[in-house]
Amino acid sequence: ENPMLNNCIMEGVICTENKMHGIQLHRGSGCIIDNCISYGNTDSGIGMAEYAHDNIVSNSFLHDNAIGVVIRTGSYRNSIDGNMIKDTTRGIYIRGTSTMRGAENHISNNLLSNVVGDGILVENSDVNIINNNILLNTAMDMLTYKPILCASCTHSYILQNSIKQLERGETTTY
């Protein structure tokens, strides 16, 4: 069983080329992950699971991971704010189950770019706020994937996000 990590601060940590997550909070609470870099990991740059709650992931650079940030199974009141996530298969993924739903997660002020699949996907999680994110070139196949999708969610809000697909050769600054 994975140990719990509570009330910690991880600042300036660099995690690369792990077989699973770059940084993993398993049942962790009250942790701050700030200004970290996580890349080349086979699962996520940052992962939370098994009722992880009241954690903050901010100002971090996550790239070339399968998923930028993943929050799984019953996790709640986590904040994903001000991160840059790029070159991933999925950007931010919050996944509860029908019996272990997540709740009250806040995803804001993130820049996601070059995400092949879903940009932000929330499943089986309630009362989430997804706002003020910028998504560039996410959900490359719009028939299969979505820039932002809440599935089996109640009372969740998607507000003031910017979604843009750049044409070949077109550039933008944010």
Side-chain angles (χ1 to χ4, degrees), residues 4 10 14 18 23-24 36 40 44 54 70-71 74 76 81 86-87 106-107 116 122 129 144 150-151 163 170 172:
M4 288 185 280
M10 290 182 232
I14 300 173
N18 292 289
I23 297 170
Q24 166 76 343
C36 293
S44 69
D54 298 300
V70 63
I71 301 174
Y76 57 96
D81 184 61
K86 63 178 277 188
D87 301 323
H106 192 180
I107 302 169
V116 176
V122 180
I129 299 173
T144 306
C150 280
I163 300 168
E170 182 181 7
T172 187

Side-chain angles (χ1 to χ4, degrees), residues 52-131:
H53 62 91
D54 298 300
N55 298 296
I56 298 170
V57 176
S58 60
N59 306 311
S60 293
F61 181 38
L62 313 170
H63 67 92
D64 296 293
N65 301 294
I67 305 169
V69 177
V70 63
I71 301 174
R72 292 187 171 109
T73 54
S75 297
Y76 57 96
R77 287 195 314 260
N78 296 292
S79 174
I80 311 301
D81 184 61
N83 301 287
M84 177 182 278
I85 300 170
K86 63 178 277 188
D87 301 323
T88 62
T89 302
R90 182 172 279 153
I92 297 171
Y93 184 28
I94 297 177
R95 181 181 66 95
T97 66
S98 60
T99 58
M100 296 173 63
R101 298 182 71 81
E104 299 180 42
N105 295 294
H106 192 180
I107 302 169
S108 61
N109 305 309
N110 297 289
L111 172 61
L112 287 78
S113 68
N114 300 327
V115 177
V116 176
D118 298 305
I120 299 171
L121 175 59
V122 180
E123 295 178 314
N124 294 307
S125 186
D126 303 315
V127 196
N128 300 285
I129 299 173
I130 302 169
N131 73 303

